[in-house]
Amino acid sequence: MKNHTSLFVATAMTAAVSALSSGSLHAQEATPPAASSTIEEVLVTARRRSESMQEIPVSMTAFTSSDIAEVGITDISHVSELTPNLVILPNSGGNDGALICMRGLCRTDFTITEDPMVGVYLDGIYVGKSIGSLFDVAELERVEVLRGPQGTLYGKNTLGGAVILHTRKPSGEVGGKATVTAGNYGRRDAKGYIEFPVNDELAASVSVLSKNRDPFVKNTQGDDRWDENNRAIHTALNWRPTENLIIDYAFDRQRKREQPMASQMTSASGWLAAMYGQDVRPDREDTVSTFGASHSNIDMTAHGATVEYSLADRGTFEDLVIKSISGYRSVKNELLNNATGASSPFI
């Protein structure tokens, strides 16, 4: 992403103030110029081409690489905490399934036959199902959230809007960084990124992510619920064989071995209340008595390739570019969970 910086300089008017005192003339010191301030121009690709965010007629929220680093965004659920009219939560289909609601439109069913109402895109590639859409990315460059129907440019399943993730591309320079995070509930996270040139035409990068956290909810009948045990790797290649041709390739691999979130009954009536009244927790508690074992195991592999060829100016067309975006994604999800949260197997 290129950042163009516009500079606005506040001009200070210097006035010489003179005063007569005891027959002497004293001149007031000139006021120093006010400090210059800069406003960063954010370039986005919400309309499939690079434009200034201030100029496009689209209701959107964008996060730059500095915003992502400051907030600590690694998966799309963190985006909703900073975006109006957007809710992203894990669904009852496992820790990698996302429940995404925007402007009141959402799909709560996580089954493979259901299509979402808010589209998720990773480097231009559509993530088509709820299961596997709550993935982690070690190094994000930019996140764009488009509100409202986006079917014209992004196809079906974007009635509520779209969440667009852009990973960091290799720059051709040698560099890298690493971060370590620790917190309560046994939180232990580590993230690393390295990039380097292979030759004059080819650059590469590798980013890794490890997230670990103890369960939030204690279960008196078995495994405690809702922890994190996640490993992810992202590798990228940027190849520029000619001046007009750019080829980007990315490979993602993610492995989760976690306890799913704890389902809890918030209300019950009739015979359900008579049999399972002790399991009703209107305010959701951090200790439950849920029958049965549970696990949420996910193995995800993804490939993505973007080929961009610049034709420059052709007649009445300016900056004409031909672009191809291809992707392949495989998700294996093994979920075992008591979706009711009841203490008995008879429901």
Side-chain angles (χ1 to χ4, degrees):
M1 181 183 71
K2 297 181 179 178
N3 290 331
H4 299 278
T5 303
S6 302
L7 186 64
F8 296 86
V9 180
T11 305
M13 296 183 62
T14 304
V17 180
S18 59
L20 241 113
S21 174
S22 304
S24 301
L25 186 65
H26 300 278
Q28 184 180 359
E29 249 181 41
T31 305
S36 354
S37 59
T38 59
I39 296 179
E40 183 182 17
E41 182 182 20
V42 179
L43 296 179
V44 296
T45 55
R47 297 198 297 175
R48 300 290 191 181
R49 58 181 183 270
S50 182
E51 299 174 290
S52 171
M53 182 178 171
Q54 296 176 329
E55 297 176 357
I56 62 173
V58 177
S59 176
M60 69 175 298
T61 301
F63 302 94
T64 63
S65 56
S66 58
D67 298 328
I68 293 168
E70 183 177 352
V71 178
I73 296 173
T74 58
D75 66 53
I76 61 173
S77 66
H78 301 150
V79 177
S80 65
E81 300 171 8
L82 303 170
T83 307
N85 304 323
L86 176 65
V87 175
I88 303 178
L89 296 170
N91 63 26
S92 57
N95 292 3
D96 73 327
L99 169 63
I100 307 178
C101 302
M102 191 181 300
R103 291 188 170 180
L105 297 172
C106 59
R107 182 82 69 190
T108 58
D109 196 338
F110 62 85
T111 55
I112 196 67
T113 56
E114 294 291 335
D115 291 324
M117 289 190 173
V118 178
V120 177
Y121 296 81
L122 179 64
D123 290 331
I125 299 170
Y126 177 54
V127 181
K129 299 299 178 181
S130 170
I131 297 299
S133 60
L134 194 59
F135 50 86
D136 290 270
V137 180
E139 198 66 24
L140 284 170
E141 180 182 61
R142 190 173 72 256
V143 178
E144 300 167 5
V145 180
L146 309 182
R147 288 184 286 274
Q150 305 296 327
T152 302
L153 291 176
Y154 290 93
K156 70 170 189 174
N157 304 332
T158 55
L159 184 61
V163 179
I164 305 168
L165 310 174
H166 300 272
T167 59
R168 182 173 176 178
K169 305 296 187 295
S171 66
E173 304 291 333
V174 177
K177 64 178 181 179
T179 59
V180 176
T181 304
N184 59 350
Y185 290 96
R187 164 67 71 186
R188 305 174 307 280
D189 295 350
K191 183 171 68 171
Y193 174 83
I194 185 172
E195 61 178 344
F196 52 90
V198 179
N199 54 40
D200 292 340
E201 300 175 351
L202 182 64
S205 68
V206 179
S207 55
V208 294
L209 174 71
S210 173
K211 297 174 70 176
N212 297 273
R213 191 200 69 239
D214 294 338
F216 279 145
V217 181
K218 181 176 178 59
N219 182 21
T220 61
Q221 282 204 58
D223 299 326
D224 294 338
R225 303 299 176 94
W226 206 358
D227 68 346
E228 277 191 288
N229 181 4
N230 179 16
R231 307 289 183 271
I233 183 171
H234 174 85
T235 61
L237 295 174
N238 179 267
W239 185 31
R240 299 172 182 259
T242 68
E243 185 177 332
N244 297 331
L245 180 62
I246 302 174
I247 300 175
D248 284 301
Y249 169 78
F251 170 78
D252 288 280
R253 177 81 170 88
Q254 185 165 10
R255 179 181 183 272
K256 290 184 178 183
R257 296 294 183 267
E258 301 176 341
Q259 291 294 325
M261 64 184 297
S263 299
Q264 299 187 35
M265 292 189 202
T266 56
S267 64
S269 59
W271 66 270
L272 283 174
M275 293 183 63
Y276 301 103
Q278 72 277 6
D279 296 328
V280 176
R281 300 175 180 87
D283 299 324
R284 298 188 62 87
E285 300 175 9
D286 57 7
T287 299
V288 298
S289 182
T290 301
F291 176 83
S294 65
H295 63 257
S296 179
N297 298 337
I298 297 99
D299 291 282
M300 186 273 290
T301 303
H303 302 265
T306 301
V307 180
E308 185 173 315
Y309 185 75
S310 175
L311 298 175
D313 298 342
R314 289 289 190 274
T316 58
F317 298 99
E318 296 181 358
D319 299 326
L320 190 62
V321 174
I322 297 177
K323 179 182 285 190
S324 169
I325 301 175
S326 305
Y328 172 81
R329 189 177 190 87
S330 171
V331 179
K332 180 182 178 182
N333 177 34
E334 183 180 305
L335 173 67
L336 178 63
N337 191 23
N338 183 340
T340 65
S343 58
S344 168
F346 304 109
I347 184 174

